[in-house]
Amino acid sequence: AISKQEDPDMYLRVVERRPDGIVVRGAKAHQTGICNSHEVLVMPTMAMKPDEKDYAVSFSVPTNTDGIIMILGRQSCDTRKSEEGADIDVGNYNFGGVEALVIFDDVFVPNDRIFLNGETEFAGMLVERFAGYHRQSYGGCKTGVGDVLIGATALAADYNGTSKVSHIKDKLIEMTHLNETLYACGIACSAEGHKTESGNYIVDLLLANVCKQNVTRFPYEIVRLAEDIAGGLMVTMPAEKDFRDPITGPYLEKYLKGVASVTTENRMRILRLIENLALGTAAVGYRTESMHGAGSPQAQRIMIARQSNIAHKKALAKVIARIKE
């Protein structure tokens, strides 16, 4: 139980209640994009028992509030990307999102910033509904990343001179099939949503969790096919500074060239982009975030079990089989 843990701060909790607000202590791990955010929104991570009211807390405060500390996470190949003048090695030049461990060192939260304060009976519902929205969104955001990765992979095939090979074409078709299936799940759970009493719309939670469950699987195959088509040079390519060097540069220009009509630099650029998308961080990359973002696979399976309504499905089968009990 949360309340029985050795270190009570391992889940964010209320340590003091005042007439004008609360004081909280704890941390939130691997928060994507938090350093670029004006506000931090805190929620519980699971259902709570009545004796865990200090952990049943939700609020929003500015990220520059006293007591909030952010410690940046490391990224794949981040030292190479941070070199002065880096361009090609950055991979995705237009986006540089990072994650951070966000620490709340006795942070004061005013009453008008508190959404949940000890009401343990609502913690589970809040988590389930938030997770539903987040898992719905993966049908869109991961599909967008997939579109770019498919396009980059198709360009790599062009630059490698293999785009007309039948098995390359078939692998690109398979990548598209998997990617559009993810998109279809995102559309489905949105279209099947319903209006709540407050006037807000809630997604179909079963389909949202099915969407995210697929996201924990399909991107791995999409990335595998991208790496297959791109070739090993994607991860063995020398650094950009070697390409710019007056001595080593001409050798790389000569020996790393693909088709004659494409510059070596452009071939290097597309391979670095594929590397960035396939192996990069959660904010930029694909695989690890697809697995753990918005909850790891078992979290969706728990929700699928709750939402699957097996009793109704049994009743349908009994009607068709003319079973009377």
Side-chain angles (χ1 to χ4, degrees), residues 296-313:
S296 54
Q298 193 58 30
Q300 290 104 57
R301 299 186 75 80
I302 291 171
M303 284 302 301
I304 289 170
R306 290 179 184 173
Q307 299 286 334
S308 59
N309 199 352
I310 295 296
H312 175 64
K313 293 176 173 63

Side-chain angles (χ1 to χ4, degrees), residues 9 12-26 54 57 59 66-67 104-111 114 117:
D9 296 337
L12 188 141
R13 66 189 178 114
V14 177
V15 293
E16 183 182 353
R17 287 184 167 86
R18 303 176 183 174
D20 56 345
I22 58 176
V23 177
V24 299
R25 182 187 304 157
D54 287 343
V57 60
F59 60 86
D66 289 343
F104 296 80
D105 188 11
D106 290 358
V107 174
F108 175 70
V109 183
N111 284 327
I114 302 171
N117 185 9

Side-chain angles (χ1 to χ4, degrees), residues 159-173:
Y159 296 173
N160 290 342
T162 60
S163 60
K164 297 186 183 299
V165 178
S166 61
H167 76 86
I168 298 295
K169 293 179 180 179
D170 190 62
K171 288 167 182 172
L172 288 168
I173 291 170

Side-chain angles (χ1 to χ4, degrees), residues 69-211:
I69 302 167
M70 300 182 195
I71 305 177
L72 288 185
R74 294 302 302 267
Q75 301 183 9
S76 173
C77 305
D78 55 1
T79 53
R80 187 183 69 199
K81 296 176 183 179
S82 64
E83 290 178 359
E84 184 178 355
D87 179 16
I88 297 174
D89 278 349
V90 171
N92 185 350
Y93 192 80
N94 297 300
F95 186 75
V98 295
E99 295 73 44
L101 175 67
V102 183
I103 299 166
F104 296 80
D105 188 11
D106 290 358
V107 174
F108 175 70
V109 183
N111 284 327
D112 63 355
R113 287 293 191 136
I114 302 171
F115 310 127
L116 188 73
N117 185 9
E119 297 87 358
T120 55
E121 65 271 27
F122 298 112
M125 179 190 297
L126 192 62
V127 172
E128 288 181 2
R129 293 191 173 187
F130 161 75
Y133 285 116
H134 198 359
R135 291 164 189 171
Q136 168 225 29
S137 72
Y138 268 52
C141 71
K142 285 294 161 285
T143 305
V145 177
D147 282 341
V148 177
L149 182 57
I150 291 168
T153 304
L155 280 172
D158 290 340
Y159 296 173
N160 290 342
T162 60
S163 60
K164 297 186 183 299
V165 178
S166 61
H167 76 86
I168 298 295
K169 293 179 180 179
D170 190 62
K171 288 167 182 172
L172 288 168
I173 291 170
E174 179 65 9
M175 293 170 72
T176 302
H177 162 72
L178 293 171
N179 202 47
E180 295 305 319
T181 300
L182 295 179
Y183 185 64
C185 282
I187 291 293
C189 68
S190 304
E192 291 293 316
H194 65 274
K195 191 176 183 179
T196 64
E197 292 183 9
S198 67
N200 185 39
Y201 277 81
I202 183 73
V203 297
D204 184 292
L205 293 177
L206 173 59
L207 294 179
N209 280 276
V210 169
C211 177

Side-chain angles (χ1 to χ4, degrees), residues 5-55:
Q5 61 189 337
E6 183 176 346
D7 185 344
D9 296 337
M10 294 307 290
Y11 283 79
L12 188 141
R13 66 189 178 114
V14 177
V15 293
E16 183 182 353
R17 287 184 167 86
R18 303 176 183 174
D20 56 345
I22 58 176
V23 177
V24 299
R25 182 187 304 157
K28 290 293 182 179
H30 40 70
Q31 297 293 289
T32 300
I34 189 65
C35 297
N36 306 326
S37 301
H38 297 292
E39 299 267 337
V40 54
L41 173 61
V42 170
M43 296 179 60
T45 57
M46 61 179 66
M48 303 287 177
K49 298 177 181 178
D51 64 344
E52 296 170 337
K53 65 178 184 178
D54 287 343
Y55 298 91

Side-chain angles (χ1 to χ4, degrees), residues 238-280:
E240 179 179 351
K241 64 180 181 180
D242 294 319
F243 182 80
R244 304 298 186 193
D245 187 87
I247 297 176
T248 58
Y251 289 112
L252 296 179
E253 178 71 34
K254 175 181 175 66
Y255 291 112
L256 294 186
K257 194 172 183 63
V259 296
S261 60
V262 176
T263 65
T264 303
E265 178 175 328
N266 282 347
R267 188 185 186 209
M268 291 180 70
R269 285 184 180 278
I270 210 64
L271 291 175
R272 280 289 186 245
L273 176 58
I274 294 173
E275 178 197 41
N276 179 267
L277 294 174
L279 307 177

